[in-house]
Every structure is written in C-alpha cells, then in structure tokens.
Amino acid sequence: MLSPLTTLLIGFALLLALYLFLRPHKGYLWQWRRAWQNTGRALIENALKYLYDGEYKQLPCTLQSLSGGLSISAGRAIELLTRLEALDLVKSQGNTLQLTDEGRSYALRIIRIHRVWERYLADETGVPAPEWHAEAEQQEHKMTFGEANVLAAQLGNPLYDPHGDPIPTARGELPPSLGMPMTDLQKGQTAEVIHIEDEPEEIFAQLVAQGFDVGKHIHILDSSPVRVRFALDGEEQSLAPVFAVNVTVLALAEQKSEELSYPSLSELSPGESASVVSISRACRGVQRRRLMDLGVIAGTCIKAEMSSAAGDPTAYEIRGAIIALRKSQADLILVEK
Amino acid sequence: MDEKNHNNLDELLDSANSLRWEVGGNLHEALMESIYADATRIADRVVTREGEHTRFDWERNLDRLLTSRWTGFPVMLLILAVVFWLTIAGANVPSAMLASLLIDMGHPFLKGLAAGMHMPWWLDGLLIDGVYLAAAWVIAVMLPPMAIFFPLFTLLEDFGYLPRVAFNLDNMFRKAGAHGKQALSMSMGYGCNAAGIIATRVIDSPRERLIAIITNNFALCNGRWPTQILIASLFIGAMAPPAVAGLVSAAAVVGITLFGVFLTFVTSWGLSRTVLRGQPSTFSLELPPYRPPRFWKTLYTSIIDRTLLVLWRAVVFAVPAGAAIWLLANLTMGDLSIAEHLINGMNPFALLIGLNGVILLAYIIAIPANEIVIPTILMLTILSAKVSGVGEGTGVMFELTDDEAYLKVFTAGGWTLLTAINLMLFSLVHNPCSTTIFTIYKETGSVKWTVIASLLPVVMGLVLCFFVAQFWYLFTG
C-alpha cells in the first residue's frame, strides 16, 4: 500500500487539477471552449459586427483596426478579409473597409441576437451584469435569427438592451445614435445616462460597481482632462476620463434635474412612512415584477415597521401587508417623505 | 383586394414599430401604474373603511420580542430546543412499542405462520426476513418522531412564528447567497430530508429554492440521528472518563450537527456562485399577522400530508431494498455470498477512505432509508467476519440491546476510532436516501438538478473521508 504522504499528495494534486480545470471563466475547460468557438463562422460574424459598429459611430475601419479590434494577427486579418470579400459581405475602398448591403444586414441580424440575448439575461436570469456581454458574445453564434425573434416576442419585443444600445428590429431598422460621452458635459450640467459601453469588461464592471445604470441621472460637479467629479445617487464620486468616456449621456434641462435627490426606502427608520416615487432601472426582471406585484408602484405609501434581529432585512407595511425587504432591494426604491 | 389589405397592415405595423422608439421602453410599466391609480381612485370612491386598519399593540409587542436584537435569537433557540426535546423524548416510547410489536413479535409470528404453511425457505426468507423486516424497521423508527415533530412545526408555522425566524436569520443566509426561509426547510430536514425538500416550496425564488433543495441533505435526519448517537457513545464517549462520557458523546453529536450547518452555508455559497449563478433570484418575505393555530386541522394535515406521504414513499422504497439485502447475503457464487464478494472487492478502496467494505456496501444497498443502515452493517459484519452466536440468521437485519454486544461485533469487523469518526462524517455527508432523491425529482422536475443533488454530497463525503483517513494514517503511523 502507498504511504499516507504519497496518497495525500496525489489527493491534493487531483483537487488542484480539478480546480484549475473547472474554475468558472478562467478554468481550462472554459478556455478551450472559447478557443474552439473563436474560429470560422464566429470570426466572420465578429468582423461584420466590428465593421458595423464603426459605420454606426462614423469611424473609418481599416485592416489594422480590424486586426486590433478582433485581437488577431495581421496575417489572419488578411485571410479573414479575403474570405469576407469572397462572400461579398465586405468591399475595400482604398484603405478603408466597407460593408456591402448584404454584409450590413448580416451584421444587424447578429447584433439583434446579441442584444436580445443580453436583454434576456438581464431580465429573466440571475447572471450578474459584468457577464452579460461575454455570454452574449458566445450565444450570438449559436442561436438562429428565428430563435432570437421568438425570444424577443416572449420578452415583449424590447427596444433597448440593458446597456442602452438599441436592438435592431427584425427588419434591421435602428434609430440614429444619440447623446454624447460624459466627458463632454460642462460643470454644473445634469444628464441622463443612456448607454454604458460593455467593452472592455474591466471598465464596465467598474462603472457598474460605482452605480452607473441606464436611466440614472448624473450631475457634473467638476470636469477636467484628468478627472471628472460628479454626483450619482446623491453621492459624490469621481472617474478618470478613460472610464467616463464609456458612458453616453443625454443632457437634461435644468428643471428636470431635481429628480436626482430622492432618498431611497432603506433610509427610512422604523415608524417613518413615505410614498414611492419610482423603482430604479437597476432593478430588473423578476425582481422588479415581484416588487410591482406586491404593490410597490408610484404613489404607494410604505411604512417601515421594524428591522430584523440581525439588522437586515427590514419589514415594511405595504398596502396592509407586512413584507420584509433586503437593504439591497430597498436601496433601489426611491421615495418621497 | 387581399393584396392591398396586406400592404396596409404592413404599413400600419411599420409605423407602429417606428413609433415605439419614441414612446420608450417602459410602456408596460406606465400602463400598470395607471391601472393601479384608476383602481385606487375607484376603490376610494365606493369602498368605505371602518376606521383605519392598524396592527394591534400586542402584535407589535410580540414582534418586538421575537425580532429584536437582544431577545430574537435566544427566544428562537429556546423554542427550537423545546421542539427537539419534545420530539426525542416523546418518540422514544411509541418507537419502542412499535419495534416490539412489529419486529420482536410480528417477525417471529410471521415466521411461525410461514412454517405452518410449509412455505419454501427462500420465499419465506425473501418475503419475511427481507421485505417485511425492512418495511417494519422503517415504520418503527420513522413514524413516531415524524408524527410529533411535523405537527409541532406546523403549529408554529400556523401561528406565524416561522416567518419571523426566517426574518431574523435572513442576513446570515443572504451572505451565503441563500434565502432566510431556508432556515425553515433546514429545520424540517432535521425531521426528514424528503419533508424538508417539500418545505422548500415556500421559497419563491428559483435560485434560492434550488440551493435549499441541494443542501437540505446536510441537515441530519431522523434516520441518521440514531447512527450518530450510537457511534458517538460507543467510540468517542468511551475515550473519556466514565463520569463525562455522556457529555462527550453528546458534544460529538452536536459537533457533527454544527458541522452540517457549516457545510450548508459553505455549499450554498459555492453553489450560488458557480452552477446556480445564472438562475433568477428575487427576495420577498411576508410576515403574516399572528393567528391562533387551528389545532385539529393542523394535526390532521401535517399527519396526512407530511408524515404519511413521506412514510409511504419510504416504505415503497424499503421493500425492494429488503429483498436485495436478503438476496445479496443468501445467494452464493463459489464459496462466498454475493455480499462477501462485494465487500472484499470494495475493501481496498474503503480502507483508503478510512471506512470498510461492509459500511460502503451497507450505504449502497440501504439507499432507500438511513434507518436500516446500522442493522444492515451489523448483519453484513457478522456475515463477513464470521461472528457466531449473534444475530438472527443469514440476511436477517437485527439490532442489539447493549453497548458491549455492539462493540464485540464492531471489533470483530476490525473497526477503529478512525472508522467510527469517518462513519459519522460519511453518515452526515453522503447521498440522500432514495425517498429524498425521488422527492427532489418531483419538486424540481429536472434530472440535472436531481443528479447534482444526489452526487455532490457523496463526492464531498468521499473526499472528506479520504483526507481525514490519510492524515490519520500519517500521524498515527
């Protein structure tokens, strides 16, 4: 029989191997799956998406920017471009690359699948926000256009994905792009967030962590080339421009900017009551429906009854029933005392 | 004409679609708010309310007592302790009565009857020693505690106390990615895991409900308490001086229970961050007003819906297991019975994880109910270690009355302190019984989650036992 020391070492080695293999997102299993998928059809579709994005933002695309945007070598980019041209999806005009009509409608179909799937992840599942984009990047190559349309119908034909990007209609129509980057706002201006760029994931995760969400209002306190200071959810925060430029906003007229100063339900102490102004956009899908089912809608009067022995959750009287809500939920309900 | 209508329709849909961009995304919500507003206005106009509804003062005071920072937890522990004490103390007598009626008297009576009918030995063995005995065992051990525990629990639920427990404990469960109501399904699991899994219906969020279902197995059930108590007093209590032996073995059992609670939280945390992260999650917990419990109705429904349902499922599964146990012990290949072949085959692996072939085989064939694990282990031990003078015959399950006799059988089977510790661990962390597995399938309706809920604990148990055993061998040489 083996000595205990040997078996222990073998045991630990096996556990470690299993961990490295199965670890979510970074494990070898996931890496292989991704590498497997980043070939052939997926690459063509990603290239079309990239070119369409450039067209929508009116930025010229070249072979160099394509190879950079898809993180592939220049050699592979040339190979890819040859295939795209052979398929009559892209044509080169001098140095810049342009989509053909067929290429454009193909790109719009992929974008529709991508954004419908992101909407689905945000509304119907518990997948955390920073992962929506990566999941949709996989799904867009697996799902057919017909399946995406069925899903969109089930979701009530949503107009925007959770990042605020418009979802192309089944016929490939899109509204013109609106808004401006947050860095263009002047000191003292108030604006509504209409879009948060989901790539790169690190920047998006940081923005989500700071509380950015489509539909929220921000107030610029100070803007300089090195730092943007602003108020979000009544809290003073700051961002480097490299982050701030990924937030697209729509400037608001002065009188509308009052809205941002409502307290949240979690700020009530036991015995106090307040009426609901709105549920924050960050509360989506099942969670939002549940709150609305309970009667949490604009105008409902809510009274804080008591907090639990451990401090969280807190029980509220909502339309005659005592309902306990967690602080993270009550944070998302804006009230007027 | 048709062609033209079709064109008109298309145009209409087109303009509707382009208008939707202008209306914005929250049309449905605006619609709902205006319906609510209309409904409120109509109700205000035509409904007269006699005074404003207020919660009674006593309700408020009671809530203050049950959920305040200082009194909430002590009151909860006290109530749970009373429920457990009532169950254990109250179930002893009827359990002993049932056992003497069904096993001590019923079994010989049926054997006599079969002999009178000149039944062939194999049919009599299969039906009476195998099937009847397994079913009788399950009923005698399971029925009384469940018939006491479930009504008590249902009364507390009916009164409105259990939602307050969930309210107090939610913070702990939230940190593990679970729902406060999991405290209720866990407590129910201390009675029976199958009932605990049915109790997860109160959790209305899909992710948290699956977590509660998969981790319910870490709540020691009715069928496992006797095993833990027996092994703890035989091996762990015996190490201490006689004066404190009882205390030490009780501490060992409490320790294993707390370890189960710890595993529940750790596993919940892990699940909510890995396989279950994509499941939708939401939270709401209603704290209903206190009501006087409807005693008779509660008694009736908890005995019919919970106790008898679970008992029936357990008996249905125990019957084939009884037959299998008897057959394995009595069918022979060459000189040895099939059971002995299996035991010898599993021994090398079993020793690697600090158990033995008998225990592993007992856990495999006693999947239907944890209640029959110890009787099966005893039977298989005397079969494979050739102990004479104990037991009722080949393939007949039995129990012993005093510690000496148990120790004699276990020593003959080559048990050490490590075997005892690992048996306690494995009894806590192994696959749920087949009744529970079936219930998981019924509740989730999914093969995938049933497989995960069944395999995850047994894999965890094997890994745990392996490391404990190897460290033990390392330090004891």
Side-chain angles (χ1 to χ4, degrees):
Chain A
M1 210 172 135
L2 292 169
S3 83
L5 200 61
T6 325
T7 47
L8 273 178
L9 285 177
I10 295 175
F12 279 120
L14 278 177
L15 279 189
L16 184 72
L18 210 65
Y19 170 74
L20 288 177
F21 191 69
L22 292 177
R23 187 165 47 142
H25 304 289
K26 291 182 190 136
Y28 295 135
L29 183 73
W30 299 71
Q31 287 185 8
W32 286 340
R33 224 178 68 180
R34 266 197 297 260
W36 180 254
Q37 278 166 350
N38 198 16
T39 52
R41 186 182 145 193
L43 205 55
I44 290 185
E45 291 177 350
N46 286 339
L48 291 175
K49 254 181 18 180
Y50 178 79
L51 293 175
Y52 183 81
D53 197 43
E55 201 172 272
Y56 192 67
K57 290 180 185 157
Q58 292 161 355
L59 300 168
C61 288
T62 61
L63 191 63
Q64 285 75 18
S65 70
L66 182 70
S67 89
L70 299 183
S71 332
I72 53 175
S73 68
R76 281 193 76 191
I78 293 169
E79 215 174 282
L80 177 65
L81 186 60
T82 322
R83 280 185 68 191
L84 287 170
E85 282 179 331
L87 290 166
D88 200 19
L89 297 169
V90 171
K91 55 180 186 285
S92 314
Q93 282 190 341
N95 206 11
T96 60
L97 306 176
Q98 282 205 322
L99 289 168
T100 61
D101 285 345
E102 202 180 326
R104 189 171 301 114
S105 90
Y106 192 168
L108 278 168
R109 284 204 301 272
I110 299 302
I111 291 171
R112 177 167 165 82
I113 299 171
H114 181 101
R115 293 184 181 165
V116 165
W117 191 253
E118 283 186 329
R119 185 84 248 169
Y120 165 76
L121 291 179
D123 284 1
E124 304 293 322
T125 74
V127 176
E131 282 164 35
W132 294 333
H133 180 70
E135 295 255 334
E137 282 288 299
Q138 304 288 318
Q139 191 67 20
E140 67 193 11
H141 308 303
K142 287 187 220 152
M143 209 176 192
T144 66
F145 189 56
E147 283 166 350
N149 287 340
V150 172
L151 182 65
Q154 278 168 5
L155 296 172
N157 286 316
L159 296 171
Y160 292 94
D161 80 357
H163 306 110
D165 285 313
I167 299 174
T169 61
R171 293 153 154 262
E173 289 148 354
L174 267 180
S177 76
L178 292 169
M180 54 179 169
M182 184 178 145
T183 41
D184 287 2
L185 287 172
Q186 301 300 312
K187 180 179 173 179
Q189 263 190 309
T190 298
E192 181 182 344
V193 176
I194 57 168
H195 173 235
I196 303 168
E197 182 55 42
D198 51 15
E199 269 186 317
E201 200 183 298
E202 291 74 19
I203 290 190
F204 179 66
Q206 171 65 27
L207 293 172
V208 168
Q210 289 207 331
F212 274 99
D213 212 321
V214 174
K216 280 199 178 172
H217 292 186
I218 53 167
H219 183 74
I220 302 293
L221 299 168
D222 194 14
S223 182
S224 75
V226 286
R227 210 85 199 143
V228 184
R229 278 201 312 124
F230 57 94
L232 175 68
D233 292 334
E235 257 180 71
E236 204 179 305
Q237 305 194 38
S238 68
L239 270 180
V242 63
F243 286 87
V245 85
N246 276 8
V247 178
T248 311
V249 296
L250 204 58
L252 294 174
E254 281 307 311
Q255 62 270 29
K256 269 186 113 179
S257 61
E258 302 263 312
E259 275 181 37
L260 51 149
S261 54
Y262 287 118
S264 70
L265 185 61
S266 58
E267 285 165 43
L268 295 189
S269 37
E272 281 188 308
S273 36
S275 70
V276 175
V277 175
S278 68
I279 306 176
S280 156
R281 292 264 131 225
C283 178
R284 308 188 159 82
V286 202
Q287 250 205 75
R288 190 179 188 87
R289 281 202 295 276
R290 167 63 47 78
L291 287 178
M292 294 178 81
D293 289 345
L294 292 171
V296 182
I297 48 164
T300 303
C301 187
I302 297 186
K303 182 177 174 200
E305 273 290 333
M306 59 197 172
S307 54
S308 92
D312 183 25
T314 302
Y316 298 95
E317 191 184 322
I318 305 171
R319 294 185 182 259
I322 306 285
I323 310 279
L325 296 176
R326 288 177 176 168
K327 182 172 182 302
S328 57
Q329 290 173 294
D331 279 342
L332 299 177
I333 301 172
L334 301 180
V335 295
E336 198 172 23
K337 285 190 191 173
Chain B
M1 189 64 199
D2 261 6
E3 184 73 3
K4 199 175 167 216
N5 266 345
H6 203 248
N7 282 340
N8 282 342
L9 190 64
D10 275 353
E11 269 171 38
L12 208 61
L13 282 175
D14 278 351
S15 63
N17 271 335
S18 54
L19 280 174
R20 287 186 69 218
W21 294 108
E22 290 166 34
V23 176
N26 48 4
L27 176 66
H28 291 107
E29 232 165 80
L31 216 62
M32 185 157 145
E33 276 175 11
S34 73
I35 291 173
Y36 254 102
D38 280 348
T40 316
R41 213 180 49 238
I42 296 169
D44 280 345
R45 208 162 51 203
V46 298
V47 180
T48 51
R49 294 185 179 86
E50 289 195 18
E52 270 298 288
H53 161 82
T54 48
R55 298 177 71 214
F56 298 107
D57 279 345
W58 69 269
E59 273 192 302
R60 226 174 239 140
N61 289 334
L62 192 55
D63 263 339
R64 213 162 282 155
L65 176 74
L66 295 179
T67 66
S68 89
R69 192 163 288 244
W70 301 111
T71 53
F73 291 119
V75 169
M76 181 186 79
L77 290 178
L78 189 73
I79 292 180
L80 283 184
V82 168
V83 168
F84 278 117
W85 180 78
L86 280 178
T87 308
I88 294 167
N92 267 339
V93 177
S95 258
M97 275 167 60
L98 275 176
S100 75
L101 183 74
L102 293 174
I103 298 167
D104 299 343
M105 285 160 63
H107 184 239
F109 172 75
L110 284 174
K111 288 292 263 191
L113 212 63
M117 285 163 55
H118 302 292
M119 202 183 261
W121 72 273
W122 56 268
L123 187 63
D124 150 83
L126 185 66
L127 289 183
I128 299 172
D129 294 340
V131 171
Y132 171 76
L133 214 50
W137 222 291
V138 168
I139 294 174
V141 182
M142 248 177 125
L143 182 59
M146 287 208 304
I148 298 174
F149 186 72
F150 289 152
L152 282 177
F153 225 73
T154 318
L155 285 176
L156 283 178
E157 190 178 5
D158 220 27
F159 174 61
Y161 178 61
L162 294 191
R164 268 80 182 171
V165 172
F167 182 55
N168 282 339
L169 290 178
D170 182 65
N171 202 26
M172 273 160 76
F173 282 95
R174 180 180 58 82
K175 286 177 186 155
H179 194 295
K181 284 181 188 163
Q182 191 175 331
L184 310 187
S185 62
M186 250 173 90
S187 315
M188 198 65 98
Y190 287 120
C192 169
N193 293 133
I197 279 155
I198 295 176
T200 62
R201 285 179 191 171
V202 296
I203 302 175
D204 46 12
S205 169
R207 186 199 299 175
E208 283 77 1
R209 177 153 184 234
L210 278 171
I211 291 177
I213 287 178
I214 297 173
T215 58
N216 194 269
N217 192 42
F218 298 127
L220 275 179
C221 71
N222 191 2
R224 292 182 277 170
W225 288 110
T227 310
Q228 299 287 357
I229 294 168
L230 176 72
I231 303 298
S233 58
L234 283 184
F235 288 88
I236 295 175
M239 289 194 311
V244 290
L247 212 62
V248 169
S249 48
V253 175
V254 171
I256 226 54
T257 315
L258 291 180
F259 182 60
V261 174
F262 169 76
L263 283 181
T264 302
F265 280 106
V266 170
T267 315
S268 301
W269 183 86
L271 285 171
S272 68
R273 271 156 192 78
T274 53
V275 283
L276 287 174
R277 65 184 330 195
Q279 297 285 321
S281 158
T282 152
F283 178 85
S284 71
L285 172 64
E286 188 181 351
L287 303 177
Y290 294 105
R291 294 188 202 94
R294 291 152 296 175
F295 186 77
W296 293 110
K297 186 165 181 273
T298 303
L299 201 65
Y300 175 81
T301 52
S302 63
I303 288 193
I304 298 294
D305 291 353
R306 287 183 174 153
T307 314
L308 289 187
L309 175 84
V310 170
L311 188 68
W312 171 243
R313 281 188 189 168
V315 168
V316 166
F317 282 108
V319 163
I325 292 169
W326 190 85
L327 287 173
L328 283 178
N330 280 283
L331 293 180
T332 51
M333 280 165 65
D335 304 339
L336 294 174
S337 63
I338 296 181
E340 283 164 284
H341 281 295
L342 289 173
I343 291 169
N344 293 338
M346 282 192 289
N347 253 330
F349 173 72
L351 287 176
L352 198 65
I353 58 168
L355 294 170
N356 58 43
V358 167
I359 298 177
L360 278 191
L361 181 63
Y363 268 103
I364 293 171
I365 52 184
I367 278 182
N370 283 295
E371 282 82 354
I372 54 174
V373 164
I374 285 290
T376 312
I377 289 179
L378 286 174
M379 186 272 284
L380 291 174
T381 305
I382 59 157
L383 179 74
S384 68
K386 309 274 187 263
V387 181
S388 56
V390 194
E392 316 267 327
T394 311
V396 187
M397 289 181 282
F398 62 93
E399 260 185 337
L400 297 165
T401 42
D402 63 305
D403 289 1
E404 297 281 305
Y406 273 116
L407 272 180
K408 197 178 140 210
V409 173
F410 289 148
T411 334
W415 287 38
T416 60
L417 183 57
L418 171 68
T419 320
I421 292 174
N422 270 6
L423 175 60
M424 286 176 80
L425 285 174
F426 195 67
S427 163
L428 173 73
V429 196
H430 73 286
N431 56 288
C433 68
S434 54
T435 315
T436 307
I437 295 177
F438 179 67
T439 311
I440 294 173
Y441 177 70
K442 289 278 258 189
E443 293 297 312
T444 58
S446 138
V447 175
K448 179 183 162 199
W449 296 122
T450 312
V451 169
I452 289 180
S454 312
L455 292 186
L456 181 74
V458 74
V459 170
M460 284 172 68
L462 292 175
V463 171
L464 187 69
C465 286
F466 169 80
F467 281 106
V468 170
Q470 296 303 323
F471 273 112
W472 182 279
Y473 293 143
L474 187 67
F475 289 114
T476 57

